[in-house]
Amino acid sequence: MYPSEICDETEWFLTAADVDMLAGSGIDSDAEFRPADHRDAVQELWHSLQIARVNLLDSIICWDRADAHVLDGARTPTAWLRHRLRVSHSHAVSLLQQARGLRDAPPVRDALLAGELSFDQADQLLHVFVAARAEYVARDVDMLIDHISTMPVAQCRIVAGHWAARVDAEALVDGDAVPPPVAPTVSELRVGEILDGDTVIEGVLNAADAVVVRTALAAAQRLAKPVPSGDDEALEDGVTPPAAPADPRSPAQQRADALVLIAQFFLDHHNRHDHEGGSIGRAHVNVVVNLDQLTTAHVTGNAETPYSVSGLDMASVLQTCCDASITRILTAGPSLTLDIGRETRVISPALRKAVTTRDRTCRFPGCDMPAWFTDVHHIWHWTRGGPTNRENCCLLCRHHHTLIHKGRWAVTGNANGDLIFTSPEGESHRSRPPNPQLPLRNSA
């Protein structure tokens, strides 16, 4: 927010918002303003914010002791904090844990007020300050605060863990009861749909679960990296292969794409049925047709899955329908179901195997995404009369499948031979199967 504009290394220009900020921070805006003043202002305001947070946690403790959340009918203190303070569930849990931790460790609270610790540093101590270690906490807390006050948060976590292991061993030698190990964080994942049909995912993973998820995400991210553009022709001797393009996606976008790849891989290779009788696998599409609309020849339909997809546009629906199970549902009005047709598989297992054997990877020029991370795409979409056969189907990874349906790219041709991918700018790129069957020459 400030400095709002830098003309050179010595001149600083302030907006009205900057002046208001300075008035609150005690800095004289009429005096000559130096970069060091910005540094000091940030530190002072951060300390003020930390003091305000300690005061908030003190109030939360008083409110928690009185079970005041029941006055508003809240089921738990966390539920009240989440609703009344308009924060996420994880934020509400953190507030309550910090408040109770500072209640049991007054020296840590004093260090926060004095600016000797940050909340991130204090959290590492509060995590190991369990009741069974109270005697050792009282003895060592000042030493620990002094020791970690200048450390990065990651090192504070290590120091706190080593201290806990040492005092547990000391208690064992002294014949005291060994404090139980700190219970691992319970992994939680919350999934919620927002108004425009997008989904918000948030949660907390314990250390063991995090290793699994991070490893899987890293592997999927490597598979989803951009590949050099160009056709599949072999390069001539002495020709330098094209360099891989820079990934335009942010790290968060890369992780999101990797998560979708992992989920799609599970669905593609999980053949069991769920407890509700539905198949766990590729997308299932319900075509809902109202009887009145059917009899008046004004048929409308929508694509559905076990979860709401009201936010999907037609391009997304068509992309999902490329490789899905289809069920006809006939209704009379919005709630009365008259008939549910038999589920049909658009892409049969035999056809999928044949297409996979031919294509091996995504057919988009230059893409080598393995077959198990791809969808079977109808070149001429079956909803528009296209056949479901080997000539009209090809493998596309999720990224390039989306480009075809939403990015104004087009693909034409016979999948058994050459496919032509045309960009929005009109540039054509040829793709051949990696193992085309060459015609045999007549011996006559």
Side-chain angles (χ1 to χ4, degrees), residues 7 23 46 61 64 85 88 90 95 169 178 182 189 197 199 213 221 236 246 250 257 377 413 421 444:
C7 292
W46 177 251
I61 281 299
D64 185 36
L85 303 188
S88 66
S90 57
L95 284 173
V178 179
V182 178
L189 190 67
T199 295
V213 172
Q221 281 182 251
E236 298 178 359
S250 68
D257 290 345
H377 170 69
F421 290 81

Side-chain angles (χ1 to χ4, degrees), residues 227-233 235 242 363-367 428-431:
V227 296
S229 58
D231 56 28
D232 297 330
E233 299 292 340
L235 294 174
R363 282 294 295 274
F364 196 90
C367 183
S428 296
H429 305 267
R430 183 178 59 178
S431 170

Side-chain angles (χ1 to χ4, degrees), residues 17-253:
D18 296 331
V19 174
D20 292 340
M21 183 279 298
L22 294 177
S25 64
I27 298 176
D28 185 2
S29 59
D30 294 330
E32 181 182 357
F33 206 73
R34 300 167 301 168
D37 295 329
H38 288 289
R39 177 200 62 198
D40 297 340
V42 168
Q43 291 178 322
E44 291 175 8
L45 291 173
W46 177 251
H47 186 210
S48 299
L49 183 63
Q50 190 157 282
I51 292 174
R53 187 179 180 94
V54 172
N55 292 333
L56 169 65
L57 297 178
D58 289 344
S59 298
I60 288 177
I61 281 299
C62 297
W63 162 85
D64 185 36
R65 284 173 174 167
D67 288 331
H69 64 278
V70 301
L71 298 177
D72 295 313
R75 185 171 55 88
T76 63
T78 301
W80 188 95
L81 290 170
R82 185 177 65 244
H83 174 64
R84 290 289 180 163
L85 303 188
R86 304 173 185 175
V87 297
S88 66
H89 178 82
S90 57
H91 195 166
V93 169
S94 176
L95 284 173
L96 196 58
Q97 289 177 340
Q98 286 179 341
R100 292 170 176 173
L102 295 185
R103 174 197 61 194
D104 298 332
V108 177
R109 177 184 177 277
D110 295 340
L112 289 168
L113 289 175
E116 297 172 1
L117 290 180
S118 70
F119 269 96
D120 287 348
Q121 292 172 315
D123 282 342
Q124 311 313 315
L125 295 180
L126 297 179
H127 185 66
V128 298
F129 283 1
V130 296
R133 298 190 183 109
E135 176 184 350
Y136 301 96
V137 170
R139 183 193 69 186
D140 297 337
V141 62
D142 292 332
M143 176 271 296
L144 286 170
I145 292 173
D146 180 68
H147 194 63
I148 73 170
S149 60
T150 58
M151 286 184 174
V153 175
Q155 293 184 16
C156 296
R157 183 181 301 112
I158 295 173
V159 169
H162 286 175
W163 172 85
R166 189 194 69 194
V167 298
D168 289 351
E170 186 177 342
L172 185 62
V173 171
D174 294 341
D176 299 332
V178 179
V182 178
T185 301
V186 177
S187 296
E188 296 181 327
L189 190 67
R190 287 165 292 279
V191 181
E193 185 175 337
I194 53 181
L195 294 179
D196 59 1
D198 293 341
T199 295
V200 174
I201 300 177
E202 68 168 7
V204 177
L205 298 178
N206 60 41
D209 292 345
V211 169
V212 175
V213 172
R214 285 178 175 271
T215 303
L217 287 175
Q221 281 182 251
R222 287 193 294 270
L223 284 174
K225 283 184 178 180
V227 296
S229 58
D231 56 28
D232 297 330
E233 299 292 340
L235 294 174
E236 298 178 359
D237 293 340
V239 177
T240 303
D247 196 333
R249 301 170 300 164
S250 68
Q253 291 171 330

Side-chain angles (χ1 to χ4, degrees), residues 196-395:
D196 59 1
D198 293 341
T199 295
V200 174
I201 300 177
E202 68 168 7
V204 177
L205 298 178
N206 60 41
D209 292 345
V211 169
V212 175
V213 172
R214 285 178 175 271
T215 303
L217 287 175
Q221 281 182 251
R222 287 193 294 270
L223 284 174
K225 283 184 178 180
V227 296
S229 58
D231 56 28
D232 297 330
E233 299 292 340
L235 294 174
E236 298 178 359
D237 293 340
V239 177
T240 303
D247 196 333
R249 301 170 300 164
S250 68
Q253 291 171 330
Q254 295 176 33
R255 287 190 293 271
D257 290 345
L259 178 61
V260 173
L261 277 177
I262 293 169
Q264 189 63 57
F265 180 81
F266 174 81
L267 293 176
D268 291 350
H269 297 81
H270 202 289
N271 297 320
R272 295 190 300 112
H273 283 64
D274 63 17
H275 64 281
E276 297 177 351
S279 63
I280 300 178
R282 307 195 72 80
H284 186 103
V285 178
N286 295 328
V287 179
V288 182
V289 182
N290 187 286
L291 180 62
D292 293 336
Q293 297 170 331
L294 183 63
T295 56
T296 57
H298 294 293
V299 180
T300 59
N302 66 312
E304 297 179 354
T305 69
Y307 304 99
S308 169
V309 292
S310 57
L312 288 182
D313 53 34
M314 184 51 64
S316 298
V317 171
L318 291 176
Q319 179 178 341
T320 302
C321 289
C322 261
D323 194 2
S325 298
I326 309 295
T327 299
R328 182 199 72 248
I329 300 177
L330 185 63
T331 66
S335 59
L336 180 59
T337 301
L338 300 180
D339 176 59
I340 300 179
R342 181 174 61 88
E343 177 183 326
T344 61
R345 172 68 65 178
V346 175
I347 304 294
S348 67
L351 178 58
R352 176 181 297 279
K353 183 176 295 185
V355 173
T356 298
T357 301
R358 180 197 64 205
D359 291 348
R360 298 186 181 180
T361 65
C362 172
R363 282 294 295 274
F364 196 90
C367 183
D368 58 357
M369 183 69 73
W372 52 85
F373 282 106
T374 60
D375 300 327
V376 177
H377 170 69
H378 282 74
I379 300 168
W380 178 13
H381 205 282
W382 63 266
T383 60
R384 300 187 176 96
T388 301
N389 56 29
R390 195 165 180 260
E391 292 77 13
N392 192 46
C393 292
C394 67
L395 296 184

